[in-house]
Structure formats: C-alpha cells, structure tokens
Amino acid sequence: DLCRILLPVIAFTPVLASVPPLRARELRTVLLLGAWSTVASTLVCLALRGEVLAVGGYRELSIFISHIRLALLLCFSAAVFAVMAGRSALSRLAHMLAIAWCIVFLALLRSLPGFAMLAVMAAYGIWRWGAERGVAVRWSVRAALLLIPLAAAAWAYGVAKEFRRGDATDLALLDERSAGGEYYYHDRERPLLENGHYVWINVADSELMRGWERRSALRYHGVDARGDTLRHTLVRYLASKGLRKDSTGILQLSGEDVRRVENGVPSAEAGHKGPLRARLEQILYEWDEYKATGDASGHSTAMRREFARTGWAIAREHPLIGTGTGGTRPAFAEMYARTASTLDARWRLRAHDQYLTLLISFGFTGLLWSLFSWWWPAHRKGAFRRPLFVCWAVIFSLSCLGEDTLETQPGATFFALFYALLVFAYPVDAISVQAGPAPGAERSA
C-alpha cells in the first residue's frame, strides 16, 4: 500500500529531472490548468453538496478529495493566480476573482491551517514588495507585518473569552427535580459550556428520551446523521438555546430544530456565525470536553494531541534508526495498549505529523536525511529565489505539521509533482513564466 501511495515520487521526479527544463509557456499552461481545475472542482462541490452548509457541515463539502488536501490545492492555486497574473487587464481581473473564490471556499471548509498558509504567503509577498521600496516604506511594511499575527491572536483570544463567558446560573442552587418530577442529573464540576450556557446540568434523561422519540424517528440512545451519539448532540443543542434538558425543553424545539439535531448539528448558532469563528468555537468545546473527560475520541484537535503524545513515546524508544517503515503501525498499536489510551479502537491512528512520522520510522538520522533531501536540490537549483516555489514550500512544510502528507496518495502527488516542476523542470526565463507572453510573442514564435 505504501509503495502504491509513493509511486508518484519515483514517477515524476526521475522523468522531470532527466529531461531539459520546460519552456516558460509550457509550465505556465500546466500550472494554470491545475489552478483553474481546482476552482472548477469547488464549483461542482458547491452545486452538489452546498446543502451541508445549512446544517454546519464542511468536511462533506469536498467530494473528490479530502477537505484537507483540497485546502492545500486552494492555497497553491491562489499563489499561482497571484504570481501568474499576466499583463492584460482582463487576465488580472480573472485572477483576482479566482483568488477571492479560493479564499471564500477555504472559509466554507473552515480551514484554519489554510488561512495560516495564506497569511504566511501574503507576508512573504508583501515583504518582497517592501524590500524593493524606500527605507520608510520598507520599515513601515515590516512593522505592519508584525502587527498582523498580533491582530489574529487578539481576535482568537476575544472569541475564546466570549465562548467561555460565565453562565449566570448558580451551580449551588440548582433544582432537584424537573417539572415532571424526575430527578435531574447535574455535573457541577465539569458542566462545560455551549453558547454561554452550561451543558450538563438540568438533565432529565427519561423525560428527554420520551419527549424526543415522540418527535423523531431516531432513537435517543442511537446516533445522529454524522454518527455521533444523539443524546450528546441533543443535550448540547438544548443548552445552546438556554433550555432545560427535560420535557419542557423538548416542547420548545421547533420542527427545524429537531431536523438539525437529527443531522448532527450540536448548536442552535451553527450556520449563523462566520465559518472560521464556528470552527474555532468547535475546537474550544472539543478541547474543554477533552480536559474534562480525558477522552479525545472523535475530536480532531484533541486526538492529534493523543497521536503526538503516543508518537513521541515511540520515538524516544527508537531514537537512532527508528522502527522501520513496516514497524510504525504495529508500534503505535503496542504503545496505545501499553499506555491504556482512552481513544476508541477506530481512532487509534498514527502521528498525523509528517516530521514525527519520519522520526518514528527512521530515527533522528533518517529525519535529518529526509529534510536534507528536500532542501539540497532546491538550494542547488536556486529554487528559493522563485516566489512560486517558496509559496509551495510554505504550504507543504506547514501541512506536514498537522498531517502525514506523504502517507496519502494525493499528498505524495502534491509533493512530487510540484517539487519536480518547480525545481527540476523550471524554465530558465523566470520572468516570462510569471508575466506570460508579451503581446505578439505567440505569432512571432
């Protein structure tokens, strides 16, 4: 399976490294076709799966490829459109619109890593632009670039502070019974918050089950459309509306509310906030739940912490030469069992960090060799002076922090094809690649 996944590396690289470099027009055509095809695919996704946005879905929006890999392609496509804007006003306008669409779709995908990649690429482009200006402009640009991450951090802090704003309910003065006479369940130590309201207080399970199953065909102790525990989704949804989790709360739900719970929407606010803010709040809730229960199963951010903790434990036991390629998966399975991980069996995955995976598989020596093998050819070929290669390198390097990019076929193709194109097959005349052919050049050629 790994040989099949990595086949693009031994297909693209020897071919593109052993033939003469592409002509500027050829490379420009290949990259722009790729970028426009990415835009076209997102339009098809929106047409076929746009309804998932109404219920807070975003992973399901990408139907041809993982939403994570699609985010990488959108970021690189934006870089291609920016670098290869062309000379004509129509071409520049089309590329500006395409860049705007890439940003919009990244927002629909709720891709925080994608926006981080765009921010780094934009900072690189602005830095280069400022370096060619006077001293006053240059230092003004650099000062502004320092303020951007501070502004982003301030925004994230504001969202987190509002998300964790205190509920006015006094946990020491909670009702003992519901209106129907059932004893409430209260978790006073770890109640969690949803839209500013405590989740795990005023829960009357029997009333909630009877009331729910009178209004829905889905079982209370079953799962919703996303495969999550329906009881958990329902309790969170009621809390987000400030309702009690009993028969009175169920009666106050509209038919649309019931449908949203069935579809796995955990908050009444889902779909009514900006997608990035919604994603950040989702991460905050998942992290709070992980700290409260110790169970990360099904929560992407919390699970990555468990993956990393297990991976580092393996790496410490095999520091020099690693476990070997075939030993990585068994090593994870053994370490999960030894540490009595709280992750469900289906979530006991590998590192989700390409650098850590290389360290586990090949040890410190292998990790250094891999990094050197990525850097040295690009350095010798002068690729770090090419803006498009730098943008691609930013995307690839950052993606490896949160994913095993080279452990999937699309990820390996993204690495092998674009590295070979931008390092080995890059034309000698870089200016014509970026600007496009001059008027009349095609006829003279």
Side-chain angles (χ1 to χ4, degrees):
D1 186 56
L2 192 59
C3 289
R4 176 188 59 80
I5 289 171
L6 295 176
L7 186 61
V9 178
I10 59 173
F12 290 121
T13 309
V15 172
L16 293 175
S18 61
V19 299
L22 297 176
R23 290 179 295 177
R25 183 180 174 188
E26 291 173 335
L27 181 63
R28 179 180 171 83
T29 300
V30 168
L31 293 177
L32 284 176
L33 280 174
W36 282 114
S37 69
T38 300
V39 170
S41 75
T42 59
L43 294 173
V44 174
C45 288
L46 192 62
L48 297 181
R49 291 280 180 84
E51 71 278 359
V52 302
L53 298 175
V55 294
Y58 62 95
R59 291 183 176 90
E60 303 87 348
L61 190 59
S62 179
I63 60 178
F64 301 112
I65 195 173
S66 159
H67 69 287
I68 296 173
R69 315 296 171 211
L70 179 56
L72 303 187
L73 291 173
L74 285 168
C75 289
F76 185 64
S77 296
V80 170
F81 289 129
V83 172
M84 299 184 170
R87 292 187 173 93
S88 72
L90 183 60
S91 173
R92 289 178 178 274
L93 177 61
H95 284 215
M96 288 175 60
L97 293 175
I99 292 171
W101 176 249
C102 290
I103 295 172
V104 167
F105 209 83
L106 278 172
L108 295 179
L109 291 175
R110 302 185 184 181
S111 178
L112 294 178
F115 276 90
M117 295 168 189
L118 285 181
V120 174
M121 291 191 296
Y124 163 73
I126 296 171
W127 186 282
R128 280 177 57 95
W129 177 86
E132 300 171 354
R133 302 301 185 271
V135 175
V137 175
R138 181 164 64 248
W139 285 104
S140 297
V141 166
R142 292 176 180 178
L145 288 177
L146 292 176
L147 292 175
I148 292 174
L150 293 178
W155 172 78
Y157 174 78
V159 172
K161 186 176 181 180
E162 183 179 350
F163 177 80
R164 294 195 172 107
R165 68 185 184 273
D167 190 310
T169 304
D170 188 341
L171 294 177
L173 300 175
L174 297 174
D175 292 337
E176 184 178 358
R177 293 173 181 263
S178 69
E182 182 181 344
Y183 282 101
Y184 277 130
Y185 164 75
H186 305 296
D187 188 339
R188 291 180 170 85
E189 295 183 2
R190 301 171 299 183
L192 299 179
L193 286 166
E194 184 69 62
N195 193 31
H197 301 288
Y198 289 127
V199 177
W200 296 106
I201 63 170
N202 299 323
V203 181
D205 267 299
S206 296
E207 284 188 23
L208 203 55
M209 180 176 67
R210 290 193 300 271
W212 172 258
E213 293 185 353
R214 280 196 293 265
R215 302 198 61 182
S216 172
L218 296 184
R219 303 291 295 175
Y220 177 72
H221 289 293
V223 296
D224 57 37
R226 293 187 183 180
D228 297 324
T229 304
L230 192 140
R231 171 181 179 268
H232 187 268
T233 304
L234 176 60
V235 169
R236 284 183 62 186
Y237 196 93
L238 289 165
S240 73
K241 293 176 71 71
L243 300 175
R244 294 181 176 237
K245 299 83 184 178
D246 57 16
S247 57
T248 63
I250 283 288
L251 289 174
Q252 294 179 69
L253 293 182
S254 67
E256 176 64 16
D257 289 328
V258 171
R259 186 183 68 83
R260 284 163 65 84
V261 171
E262 291 174 336
N263 285 324
V265 181
S267 172
E269 294 297 308
H272 303 302
K273 296 180 178 179
L276 292 182
R277 182 188 182 94
R279 176 59 181 148
L280 181 56
E281 290 184 349
Q282 180 184 359
I283 291 173
L284 290 170
Y285 182 87
E286 291 177 358
W287 191 254
D288 287 348
E289 188 174 36
Y290 172 58
K291 289 193 299 183
T293 66
D295 185 7
S297 298
H299 301 324
S300 59
T301 304
M303 287 196 300
R304 276 172 168 75
R305 185 179 186 277
E306 289 293 308
F307 300 156
R309 185 167 63 177
T310 305
W312 279 109
I314 298 170
R316 284 193 293 269
E317 294 186 355
H318 305 274
L320 294 180
I321 59 174
T323 63
T325 303
T328 305
R329 193 181 298 276
F332 266 91
E334 179 187 353
M335 187 60 69
Y336 280 129
R338 282 168 51 188
T339 57
S341 174
T342 58
L343 285 174
D344 293 341
R346 63 179 176 137
W347 296 120
R348 294 188 174 188
L349 307 176
R350 295 196 290 173
H352 278 60
D353 180 326
Q354 188 63 60
Y355 306 113
L356 181 55
T357 295
L358 291 170
L359 179 63
I360 294 168
S361 299
F362 307 117
F364 190 68
T365 306
L367 172 62
L368 289 181
W369 173 253
S370 297
L371 297 177
F372 176 79
S373 72
W374 298 349
W375 169 78
W376 180 246
H379 171 70
R380 284 297 302 271
K381 290 286 189 177
F384 289 103
R385 296 192 295 271
R386 303 164 188 166
L388 203 52
F389 174 80
V390 173
C391 290
W392 174 86
V394 166
I395 296 168
F396 174 72
S397 301
L398 292 180
S399 76
C400 288
L401 288 172
E403 288 293 328
D404 292 318
T405 304
L406 297 181
E407 307 295 312
T408 65
Q409 198 277 324
T413 302
F414 180 80
F415 167 75
L417 174 60
F418 291 120
Y419 187 96
L421 279 175
L422 299 174
V423 174
F424 301 117
Y426 200 82
V428 176
D429 187 1
I431 296 178
S432 62
V433 173
Q434 298 174 26
E442 186 175 344
R443 292 195 299 275
S444 62

